[in-house]
Each structure stands twice: as structure tokens, then as C-alpha cells.
Amino acid sequence: MKKILFLIPAMMLLGCSKKNTTVADQTPPQPEVVKMVEPIGSRPLGTILKATAFKMTGDYSNNVAITLNEDGTLAYYPAPSDITENSRPVELEDGWWLNRQGLSPNSVFTRYTFEEYENLSSVPTQEELKAAIIPGARVSDWKRLSYPAGEAMKYLPQIKEELK
């Protein structure tokens, strides 16, 4: 009985083999040749966010910033949970600060300190945020740096040199 069970799979394999095959028909398939070319006008696959530095019209380094569109509407404002100790800008020199809050040239500063804002239970309304803008408190100069934003703290001496 055991011999029969062994022969059944062997007979099935033989039954599936191709008949009338000659040696000439059994040449292995040739590999397809693929020529690599550089696409013209292709886009990069990704980008690395570069660190930025800014100057401001006064010392608002402890104030939460928001960003306005050209028409005065809000373009960016953080949730209280977005604000941490790592959101505070880092003083560089000659009035330059390392941007760690996502400011842009259109950013303005609010009366909210980082500590006050971080402890809010909900995001202020757009009207409350606009009312909290300190008159004249804005980013006055802004520069994209050579270093990745996520690694900027490692390169503070080099960043200071870059800003001279």
C-alpha cells in the first residue's frame, strides 16, 4: 500500500510533463536587456527641510508666533499641544534666532507666552489669535540655512558663522 501512495505523485508529475520536446526546443530563455537612462526633467524624490533663522522687531523670543497670509488671514497657528520647550527659538548672535516654531517671513508675535499657550485647554479662535497680535511685533529678517532643520542644534557654531 505504501508503494502505491509513493507512485501516485510520481505518475502525476510524469503526466504533466510536456511531450514531443526536442533538445533544440529546450534553450533557456535569454535575459531581457534593460538600458538605464536618466529621465529628463524629473523631480527629486524628496526634500530635506532646511533650518531657518530670523530676526524680529523686538525681543519676542518667549512669545508664540502665528503666520498671516498677504490678505491678513491666518496661514498658520499652532495648537497648544504643538508648543513644547523645543519650540522656543535659540539665540544665535547679532539679533538672529534659530527658528524652531515654523516661522516664516510673514510671522507675527502674539501676547501669549510659550508657557501660557502650552497650558491652554483648547486652541484659541482665529479672532482671539488676531486680537492677541502685538502691534509691530513681526519677523523682520529671515534666512534659509545650509543645515537640515532636524540637525540644526548640532551645528550652532557653523550656523553662527554662516549668518555673519
Side-chain angles (χ1 to χ4, degrees), residues 31-63:
E32 183 179 341
V33 176
V34 178
K35 184 176 180 181
M36 299 300 289
V37 294
E38 183 70 29
I40 297 173
S42 66
R43 293 182 178 194
L45 296 176
T47 58
I48 296 174
L49 180 65
K50 295 292 186 177
T52 57
F54 66 94
K55 287 185 175 185
M56 50 193 148
T57 56
D59 185 1
Y60 306 108
S61 59
N62 193 36
N63 295 82

Side-chain angles (χ1 to χ4, degrees), residues 67-157:
T67 303
L68 302 175
N69 289 313
E70 295 297 327
D71 64 1
T73 58
L74 287 176
Y76 160 80
Y77 54 94
S81 60
D82 294 337
I83 300 298
T84 67
E85 189 61 35
N86 292 332
S87 302
R88 294 175 188 270
V90 174
E91 188 171 12
L92 299 169
E93 56 188 36
D94 298 326
W96 286 102
W97 295 80
L98 180 64
N99 181 4
R100 299 197 314 162
Q101 193 191 328
L103 281 67
S104 79
N106 293 336
S107 293
V108 295
F109 297 91
T110 67
R111 63 173 171 74
Y112 293 106
T113 65
F114 282 99
E115 186 177 336
E116 290 170 339
Y117 202 84
E118 184 179 15
N119 290 317
L120 292 175
S121 59
S122 63
V123 179
T125 65
Q126 291 190 19
E127 293 76 25
E128 290 171 327
L129 287 168
K130 284 183 175 181
I133 295 171
I134 301 168
R138 62 180 177 73
V139 169
S140 60
D141 203 355
W142 189 83
K143 184 174 183 177
R144 187 173 316 278
L145 303 169
S146 302
Y147 301 92
E151 298 177 17
M153 292 298 288
K154 291 191 261 182
Y155 295 103
L156 290 179

